[in-house]
Structure formats: structure tokens, C-alpha cells
């Protein structure tokens, strides 16, 4: 940046709340109407959007080092299915939005969250298999008071669901060492089916509609 | 340690140094001379570095005189199984001593309460609501105990949290003052702590001028309490400046 942006540390004064708005990495202390930084980084001022009623510029601290992403309600995550049971499937959340997490978080997909129509007729084993990569959205966990640890995930939209799956097809081997597992990435056929390119076998999944 | 010529080579053995101990106070008028030659209101020069531990989200190393502390911060990461649901984040602190950190081996387990004290000092400064349902783990390891351990641990932990990118209201600086008879001695070393009548540890957020933790032990004459607190607040301010300089230097060094 050509502008000399000032480096700030947590607790440093960034400005007065009467002149500036607090953006990312900054907060307002209500007792003396001052904006302080909450991260270490560079102080940047964003001009206000021209049509907003509040014409104060926003001051933000562009995080020199931000902590790893944390799943938040409404955020789209990429997860790998670990266990499929009668009414739920467990998945390890690996990416939140475009960023990958430092350590995995645990997610649960409930039967009623798999799809939007005919929710009670969902068969979990026809929707997910262990090892599938799914795109899901984090359900607001205000209602999940019973589950302290896992995030509730939902695939109840067209663009959510299995994005990548490996087929478990078994091919007879030419060299007589027993059946050989050759894994291939399955090709989606419809929103409920995926086909293995090696064997032609069709398996059922809740497939995500990839918008190209 | 030096082998006499002609004798069998000696294995390493520590040198027992007989320090001349000052006499135990008979009355309160005797003056104390600090073994390291500092003035009563002079702190030890502080050395801080962040980024000491690569595998942690954030880390810091602090050295004040002989007290050496390293703190690693992990998180925000998933809470362990047994935790209740909470809509704010959780802070988990652990302070441990190395076996070689204290003059007598294994004496570090006397300070089990340091973990909860570190927790109380830090929780007021961290914005827990920015990472709901997850935990931030702070692990402090005292490599060498040279006096005033907990204040150094607290300051170092706050730097490690800033290095990890955890959002905080302000940095946290801590200083302790020992009462030796009629003298107030700031940043006591191990020997002074063993002679003290009372100790005061003050943890504050220097830029916001707010105290997060205040710990008194022992006997304190009332007028000294005020003076000691003023000393601590002033020292925390200066320590805060040193900590900020360290963070800025580390951040600009990694920019290049």
C-alpha cells in the first residue's frame, strides 16, 4: 500500500465514535465513545457508501493474523461424512467458506435437514455414505441447546448436498488375487443418483446442484 | 567443576555458592539492598518475543531477569465432550512448571492455583462472544522461576493471545509489589519473595486504564496499599508500551 497505514495493537485508540464507525477488528467503548482496536494489524479507513444515512467512514483493522475460521450460523461449510446412522449422519467440518479450519469441528446432519420436501421419508443411507464430501449450511444453533458439541448442518437446498463421492465398486481382478477395489469419483446423474464411471453402477445420494 | 591435574576426570556437579545472607530483620528499620542492584521502584528489563511455537495458533516467550516463561495458545477450537452448551466462547488456562524450573526439583506443583488466577486475569480482556461454542486453550510453561512468576505469565499470555489473533479489548499487563518491612519493592525476585511480609499483584489493561485482577496476600499497612497500587499501575503502563512495541516489531518483520 502506498499510504502509510498505521500498525495498531489491541487496545489502541483508533478514533472517536462520533466521527468514525467501528468495522472489523475494532469496537466501541460505550463509556467514553471511543473506538479501540481489538486485533493486531493495519488501521484502514473505508469511506462510507454514498447512499447510506450514516455518513461516517468505517475504521477497521485488517488482521495481520486472524484466528482460524469458526463455523457460524448461516455459513456454508464443506464437511466429510464420517458416520451414517438411522436418523443422523456425522460429518467433520473441514472448510468454512473459502478458508480451511486449523482443527476440525464436528457436525451432525439430522433426518429433517437433509432435504426440503418429504422430510420424514428420508433414508439416511440413500443420502450419504461415509467418506462423501458434502456442502452444507450451519443451522442456527440457538435451538440446539441439547447438543453442546456438534454443529447442526443442513443440506435442504438445491446447491447443498454431496459434491464429491468415491464409488465403492468392486471389479474382478485379472490376476486372481481376489476382488480389487478401484475407487473412482462418481458422476452425478440427477439430484438423487450418482454413477460410477468404471462399473456403471448407480448409487443413491442427495446430490448438490453445482452451478457452473 | 575444574578437575585437578592428575585426578580422574570429574563428572558435572553443581557449584554450591554460599551467598552471604543479610540478617533476618530484628526491627522494621533495617533497609533492604536488592541483590541485583535495582532501585526499589525499578522493574527488571523485559524481553518479549512472539511466534515462539510454530504448531500453536499463537505463542509468546517472556524473560524478565531470571524468570523465563513460554505460553502457547490454541484455538478457537472445538470444546471437549463434557462441556455444557454456551453461547459465548470458553477460555481454558493451564500453568505448569518444568521440573528444572524451580531451585528445588518438583516444587512447581505448589502453585496449582496459578491456572485459575490466570483465567480470571484474562477472561475480562477477551471478547468471548466472537467465538461462540468454541474453546481457546492457553498453556503456560514456566521454564525458570526467578520471582514474580504469575505476573510474567499473565503478560506473556496476553501477548500470545494477541499473536493468535484472538479479539481482545486490550492487552493485559501484570506487575507485583512486595512489602518488606517498611519498604515497597516492585517486581520482586525469588529471594525477596521469600522474605516478604505481603504481596500485591495488579493486572490491568493499560490503554483502557481498567484493572482485571487484584491479589493481596500477607500484612499490609494501610497507607502502603495506595502507594503500592499506584506503583503497579504506573509500571503496568510502561510494561504495556514494551509489549506493544514487541507486537508491532513482530508484525512488521513478518510483513517483509
Amino acid at each position: 500500500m502506498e499510504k502509510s497505514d498505521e500498525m495498531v495493537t489491541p487496545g489502541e485508540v483508533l478514533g472517536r465514535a462520533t466521527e468514525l464507525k467501528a468495522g472489523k477488528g475494532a469496537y466501541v467503548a460505550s463509556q467514553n465513545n471511543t473506538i479501540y482496536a481489538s486485533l493486531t494489524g493495519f488501521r484502514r479507513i473505508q469511506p462510507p457508501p454514498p447512499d447510506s444515512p450514516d455518513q461516517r467512514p468505517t475504521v477497521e483493522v485488517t488482521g495481520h493474523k486472524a484466528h482460524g475460521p469458526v463455523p457460524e450460523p448461516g455459513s456454508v461449510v464443506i464437511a466429510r461424512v464420517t458416520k451414517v446412522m438411522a436418523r443422523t449422519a456425522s460429518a467433520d467440518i473441514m472448510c468454512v467458506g473459502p478458508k480451511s479450519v486449523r482443527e476440525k469441528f464436528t457436525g451432525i446432519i439430522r433426518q429433517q435437514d437433509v432435504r426440503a420436501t418429504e422430510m420424514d421419508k428420508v433414508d439416511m443411507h440413500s443420502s450419504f455414505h461415509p467418506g462423501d464430501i458434502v456442502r452444507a449450511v450451519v443451522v442456527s444453533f440457538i435451538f440446539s441447546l441439547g447438543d453442546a458439541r456438534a454443529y447442526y448442518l443442513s443440506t435442504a437446498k438445491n446447491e447443498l448436498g454431496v459434491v464429491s463421492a468415491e464409488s465403492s465398486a468392486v471389479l474382478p481382478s485379472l490376476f486372481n488375487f481376489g476382488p480389487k477395489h478401484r475407487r473412482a469419483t462418481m458422476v452425478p446423474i440427477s439430484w438423487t443418483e450418482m454413477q460410477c464411471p468404471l462399473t456403471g453402477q448407480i448409487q443413491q445420494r442427495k446430490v448438490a446442484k453445482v452451478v457452473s | 567443576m575444574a578437575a585437578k591435574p592428575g585426578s580422574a576426570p570429574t563428572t558435572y556437579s553443581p557449584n554450591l555458592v554460599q551467598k552471604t545472607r543479610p540478617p533476618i530483620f530484628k526491627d522494621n528499620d533495617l533497609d533492604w539492598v536488592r541483590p541485583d542492584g535495582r532501585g526499589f521502584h525499578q522493574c527488571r528489563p523485559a524481553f518479549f518475543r512472539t511466534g515462539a511455537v510454530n504448531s500453536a495458533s499463537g505463542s509468546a516467550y517472556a524473560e524478565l531477569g531470571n524468570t523465563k516463561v513460554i505460553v502457547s495458545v490454541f484455538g478457537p477450537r472445538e470444546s471437549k465432550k463434557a462441556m455444557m452448551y454456551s453461547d459465548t466462547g470458553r477460555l481454558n488456562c493451564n500453568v505448569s512448571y518444568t521440573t528444572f524450573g524451580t531451585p528445588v526439583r518438583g516444587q512447581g506443583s505448589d502453585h496449582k492455583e496459578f491456572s485459575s488466577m490466570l483465567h480470571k486475569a484474562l477472561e475480562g480482556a477477551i471478547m468471548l462472544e466472537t467465538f461462540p461454542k468454541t474453546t481457546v486453550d492457553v498453556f503456560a510453561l514456566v521454564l525458570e522461576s526467578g520471582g514474580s512468576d504469575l505476573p510474567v505469565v499473565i503478560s506473556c499470555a496476553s501477548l500470545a493471545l494477541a499473536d493468535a489473533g484472538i479479539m481482545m479489548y486490550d492487552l493485559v499487563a501484570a506487575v507485583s509489589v512486595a512489602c518488606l518491612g517498611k519498604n515497597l519493592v516492585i517486581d520482586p525476585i525469588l529471594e525477596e519473595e521469600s522474605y516478604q511480609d505481603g504481596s500485591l499483584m495488579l493486572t490491568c489493561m493499560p490503554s483502557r486504564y481498567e484493572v482485571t485482577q487484584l491479589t493481596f496476600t500477607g500484612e499490609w499497612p494501610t497507607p502502603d496499599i495506595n502507594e503500592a497500587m499506584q506503583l503497579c499501575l504506573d509500571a503496568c503502563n510502561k510494561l504495556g508500551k514494551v509489549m506493544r512495541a514487541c507486537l508491532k516489531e513482530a508484525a512488521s518483520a513478518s510483513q517483509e
Side-chain angles (χ1 to χ4, degrees):
Chain A
M1 286 264 134
E2 297 85 19
K3 275 194 307 175
S4 58
D5 284 324
E6 207 190 315
M7 171 152 294
V8 292
T9 51
E12 279 192 34
V13 175
L14 295 178
R16 304 207 53 79
T18 46
E19 301 154 22
L20 297 168
K21 257 193 317 207
K24 190 174 77 78
Y27 70 96
V28 185
S30 43
Q31 59 261 47
N32 53 1
N33 257 348
T34 323
I35 300 187
Y36 294 94
S38 60
L39 287 176
T40 311
F42 289 104
R43 173 181 186 264
R44 298 248 158 87
I45 298 194
Q46 306 281 11
D51 52 351
S52 75
D54 187 0
Q55 280 296 311
R56 293 176 297 170
T58 307
V59 63
E60 59 182 27
V61 179
T62 45
H64 167 71
K65 186 176 180 180
H67 61 75
V70 171
E72 251 144 55
S75 53
V76 175
V77 299
I78 309 283
R80 180 193 291 129
V81 176
T82 49
K83 254 195 311 201
V84 180
M85 294 167 289
R87 293 216 187 94
T88 54
S90 299
D92 287 344
I93 298 174
M94 298 186 305
C95 303
V96 177
K99 298 187 199 154
S100 71
V101 295
R102 275 178 160 259
E103 295 184 39
K104 65 162 179 68
F105 293 93
T106 309
I108 286 183
I109 309 172
R110 295 172 298 176
Q111 186 184 25
Q112 64 264 38
D113 293 327
V114 174
R115 58 176 193 229
T117 55
E118 290 189 318
M119 296 187 296
D120 44 337
K121 293 204 184 115
V122 167
D123 179 20
M124 294 306 290
H125 295 283
S126 312
S127 310
F128 305 110
H129 278 220
D132 290 351
I133 310 291
V134 301
R135 179 181 291 123
V137 72
V138 178
V139 169
S140 157
F141 48 69
I142 295 175
F143 304 113
S144 69
L145 285 171
D147 212 312
R149 211 168 68 88
Y151 292 87
Y152 280 172
L153 302 175
S154 163
T155 53
K157 275 201 195 139
N158 287 345
E159 64 270 15
L160 302 175
V162 177
V163 290
S164 168
E166 273 192 341
S167 84
S168 49
V170 173
L171 292 177
S173 157
L174 291 174
F175 294 102
N176 256 346
F177 287 130
K180 202 178 198 176
H181 289 263
R182 285 175 66 190
R183 304 198 139 252
T185 309
M186 298 216 288
V187 175
I189 308 175
S190 72
W191 74 284
T192 51
E193 287 171 338
M194 288 183 121
Q195 186 173 33
C196 164
L198 295 174
T199 57
Q201 192 184 52
I202 293 180
Q203 290 184 359
Q204 299 212 308
R205 300 281 202 280
K206 198 277 174 187
V207 185
K209 181 174 178 159
V210 177
V211 181
S212 50
Chain B
M1 292 229 294
K4 295 201 180 64
S7 63
T10 53
T11 56
Y12 173 81
S13 55
N15 233 349
L16 288 170
V17 174
Q18 294 295 335
K19 283 199 179 120
T20 50
R21 285 180 177 273
I24 309 292
F25 300 122
K26 297 267 172 24
D27 50 56
N28 285 338
D29 288 345
L30 278 176
D31 254 325
W32 171 260
V33 172
R34 301 191 80 168
D36 48 0
R38 283 185 283 153
F40 285 167
H41 295 177
Q42 195 181 351
C43 290
R44 292 172 291 188
F47 174 82
F48 292 107
R49 273 283 186 275
T50 55
V53 177
N54 275 336
S55 59
S57 303
S59 58
Y61 170 75
E63 199 176 301
L64 271 80
N66 277 335
T67 307
K68 301 175 177 73
V69 170
I70 191 165
V71 177
S72 1
V73 169
F74 293 91
R77 58 182 182 182
E78 204 168 31
S79 303
K80 289 284 173 273
K81 291 182 176 39
M83 300 274 183
M84 295 284 297
Y85 174 79
S86 84
D87 49 3
T88 57
R90 235 185 289 270
L91 178 65
N92 177 34
C93 294
N94 192 305
V95 178
S96 57
Y97 277 71
T98 53
T99 47
F100 47 84
T102 48
V104 175
R105 186 185 186 279
Q107 215 178 37
S109 49
D110 288 347
H111 299 293
K112 288 201 171 79
E113 72 277 6
F114 279 4
S115 301
S116 65
M117 290 172 78
L118 176 63
H119 185 279
K120 291 197 187 93
L122 292 176
E123 67 179 347
I126 301 180
M127 293 185 180
L128 292 170
E129 60 273 6
T130 54
F131 49 95
K133 208 169 147 153
T134 51
T135 298
V136 168
D137 292 318
V138 178
F139 296 113
L141 185 64
V142 179
L143 298 167
E144 188 180 337
S145 161
S148 229
D149 298 338
L150 188 56
V152 177
V153 165
I154 292 173
S155 311
C156 192
S158 136
L159 271 184
L161 284 166
D163 185 50
I166 310 278
M167 290 193 158
M168 297 195 287
Y169 293 112
D170 193 3
L171 292 177
V172 177
V175 164
S176 67
V177 160
C179 179
L180 290 163
K182 64 175 174 58
N183 298 316
L184 290 177
V185 159
I186 202 170
D187 202 12
I189 59 172
L190 212 52
E191 197 185 333
E192 292 164 347
E193 279 183 341
S194 63
Y195 287 138
Q196 67 190 3
D197 298 323
S199 89
L200 154 67
M201 182 184 77
L202 186 136
T203 310
C204 84
M205 299 198 279
S207 169
R208 297 193 49 154
Y209 208 57
E210 286 175 4
V211 174
T212 63
Q213 190 187 41
L214 189 57
T215 308
F216 273 98
T217 60
E219 281 185 14
W220 277 95
T222 321
D224 289 354
I225 293 180
N226 270 321
E227 192 192 332
M229 282 178 63
Q230 283 306 316
L231 267 179
C232 280
L233 282 169
D234 187 50
C236 281
N237 237 323
K238 300 198 172 116
L239 189 60
K241 294 197 181 96
V242 177
M243 287 162 70
R244 282 188 211 286
C246 161
L247 274 179
K248 288 184 183 171
E249 195 188 317
S252 48
S254 58
Q255 281 283 316
E256 293 146 23

